[in-house]
Amino acid sequence: TSFAAVVGLLVPPPDIKPPLAYAMLIPIVGGVGIACVKEGKGIDINVEAFMYASIANVAAAFKGKLGGSVTKALKGDKSKNMDSANVYAVNNFISFFFTVPMVIISELPTLKEEWEHAASEHGAQAVAMNIALSGFFFYIYNEFAFAFTANVGAVTSSVLNTAKRVIIIVVSAILFNEAMDKNTVIGSAIAISGTFAYSLASKAKKAPKKKAE
């Protein structure tokens, strides 16, 4: 969320929200942080995972900002059939060609071993089907998210994604009968309340300037 807010301000055209909306980022981030603190254990952070997650968040912020800006610009040109879905599809093709070399370098040495292990346990057809369905639904989910970002802005999209993660934690705990400690409950409540307040603050309209008589 913080990355998206910074990118929204620095990358033109700037996506400027009311000051109160930015203030609401504090309880959202703080609430998620509190929910991650386990009683008697403190915070156990995997530094390497945190770094990769931060890089992913920066990339997602740029994707949302640039993709939304490009989509809005192209929608104004009726000669180009480039709506949100088409822009997202083109971005995926570009991403595919950029990431394939990285995947080959990092995954190829263990690909055969991992595939044989998964196929022997679940069957090759089931593994292939699940990979295909996972890719399909992930693409559909992100295409809708991309279209949403193009209409509401990168910061709003990032905030709602943060709330989504907290809600998933709560719902999962209920469905799987996992006990939630005090910090998780308090942090989740703060983050969800902050998201609601952010939405209200973002929709607040500035008072119109009085014309000079």
Side-chain angles (χ1 to χ4, degrees), residues 76-99:
D77 188 351
K78 295 183 179 180
S79 63
K80 297 182 176 67
N81 183 27
M82 292 295 288
D83 56 7
S84 301
N86 288 339
V87 172
Y88 178 70
V90 172
N91 281 347
N92 267 272
F93 279 115
I94 296 173
S95 300
F96 174 78
F97 289 113
F98 271 98
T99 55

Side-chain angles (χ1 to χ4, degrees), residues 22 24 29 51 62 72 94 104 137-138 144 163 172 179 182:
Y22 291 109
M24 291 302 103
V29 176
M51 290 175 58
F62 274 103
K72 289 179 180 178
I94 296 173
I104 292 175
F137 286 115
F138 184 76
F144 278 101
S172 298
K182 182 175 67 176

Side-chain angles (χ1 to χ4, degrees), residues 2-54:
S2 302
F3 292 130
V6 174
V7 170
L9 289 173
L10 297 181
V11 178
D15 181 17
I16 301 176
K17 302 288 184 182
L20 184 58
Y22 291 109
M24 291 302 103
L25 297 175
I26 298 174
I28 293 171
V29 176
V32 174
I34 294 173
C36 294
V37 178
K38 302 299 180 183
E39 293 183 5
K41 298 180 180 179
I43 302 176
D44 184 17
I45 298 178
N46 186 317
V47 178
E48 184 178 2
F50 177 78
M51 290 175 58
Y52 284 123
S54 298

